[in-house]
Amino acid sequence: KNQVEQSPQSLIILEGKNCTLQCNYTVSPFSNLRWYKQDTGRGPVSLTIMTFSENTKSNGRYTATLDADTKQSSLHITASQLSDSASYICVVSARSGGSYIPTFGRGTSLIVHP
Amino acid sequence: EPEVTQTPSHQVTQMGQEVILRCVPISNHLYFYWYRQILGQKVEFLVSFYNNEISEKSEIFDDQFSVERPDGSNFTLKIRSTKLEDSAMYFCASSKDRVEEQYFGPGTRLTVT
């Protein structure tokens, strides 16, 4: 069964500090991995998308890495801001024939304190 | 900046009633999706739609659910006979291509009583 596990479940950091969120998956056959930011009560917003051949991708202060061999990804946030407080969701899509089925992780809840 | 819109923002319905949730995807997008998120739980994929037909659907998307693109702008999700467990936030999303960035709408909170 395809699964996506994220850690930690929650994280509290001080404004200005860096942090790294982890995602492990058992999705097969792998198509792509996405990181989303979801503010409470809002729809997810895409941060990065990576395919099998990509091992790092940046979007401003967000940098995602992918190790397709160990089936792990991380999201690094640099110089955190109060507005970074949100849930960060890892989504891995499997490709079956012409179909792409996404599996969502439960998310890491990040709180940034002043 | 173009965005996905959803109506209504909150829908309350009685068990057994039919509901239709509406979405207007971004105009030049070709792929459309519905997801749901039960309160406190993870987002779950329901269905994807391309070229006027379903391209993928999950186990959740049973015969009680249907999707339609009735005109050139709207994309709807119909739940035929709602159950208490259908209470959730329903998100619509769209993308230009299936491996490109998906843009999510603000969601419709469905409450079944």
Side-chain angles (χ1 to χ4, degrees):
Chain A
K1 183 179 177 183
N2 290 333
Q3 288 190 315
V4 175
E5 300 291 337
Q6 292 187 243
S7 62
Q9 187 175 4
S10 61
L11 182 62
I12 301 173
I13 61 173
L14 291 176
E15 186 179 13
K17 297 296 187 184
N18 303 336
C19 67
T20 300
L21 314 180
Q22 301 290 343
C23 173
N24 297 337
Y25 61 91
T26 56
V27 174
S28 182
F30 177 86
S31 172
N32 61 79
L33 185 147
R34 303 165 189 247
W35 282 95
Y36 287 91
K37 177 186 179 188
Q38 185 179 26
D39 293 313
T40 302
R42 308 285 295 271
V45 174
S46 179
L47 297 176
T48 62
I49 304 171
M50 287 184 291
T51 58
F52 187 87
S53 58
E54 297 172 295
N55 55 23
T56 187
K57 186 163 277 190
S58 291
N59 177 3
R61 294 181 297 104
Y62 301 102
T63 299
T65 65
L66 172 64
D67 186 335
D69 291 331
T70 61
K71 299 188 177 182
Q72 295 180 324
S73 176
S74 65
L75 180 69
H76 186 75
I77 305 174
T78 305
S80 60
Q81 300 175 356
L82 298 180
S83 58
D84 292 334
S85 296
S87 180
Y88 290 83
I89 303 170
C90 176
V91 184
V92 185
S93 289
R95 181 169 184 174
S96 177
S99 298
Y100 295 80
I101 304 292
T103 300
F104 283 72
R106 293 188 174 277
T108 291
S109 176
L110 175 66
I111 298 173
V112 181
H113 278 315
Chain B
E1 186 175 328
E3 58 183 18
V4 175
T5 59
Q6 292 185 241
T7 54
S9 57
H10 191 190
Q11 173 89 48
V12 181
T13 189
Q14 289 191 324
M15 197 167 50
Q17 295 296 305
E18 174 184 286
V19 293
I20 297 176
L21 310 182
R22 302 181 191 280
C23 167
V24 178
I26 294 173
S27 61
N28 62 345
H29 286 187
L30 301 177
Y31 291 82
F32 315 116
Y33 314 85
W34 282 102
Y35 298 88
R36 80 172 184 190
Q37 187 173 29
I38 295 170
L39 187 63
Q41 297 190 22
K42 65 178 182 177
V43 177
E44 299 171 293
F45 168 75
L46 293 178
V47 66
S48 61
F49 190 86
Y50 169 73
N51 199 26
N52 281 321
E53 60 182 31
I54 291 173
S55 46
E56 293 97 12
K57 62 180 181 178
S58 70
E59 293 173 348
I60 303 168
F61 195 86
D62 60 22
D63 292 343
Q64 291 297 314
F65 292 89
S66 63
V67 289
E68 193 178 31
R69 187 152 163 84
D71 52 45
S73 59
N74 289 283
F75 179 51
T76 62
L77 174 70
K78 181 193 291 187
I79 309 175
R80 233 176 298 279
S81 176
T82 50
K83 309 185 195 80
L84 294 176
E85 54 265 36
D86 293 327
S87 295
M89 182 76 95
Y90 288 81
F91 293 108
C92 172
S94 69
S95 65
K96 287 183 185 176
D97 188 273
R98 62 186 1 165
V99 294
E100 289 205 16
E101 181 176 356
Q102 291 184 22
Y103 292 80
F104 282 72
T108 291
R109 179 164 297 284
L110 176 65
T111 302
V112 182
T113 62

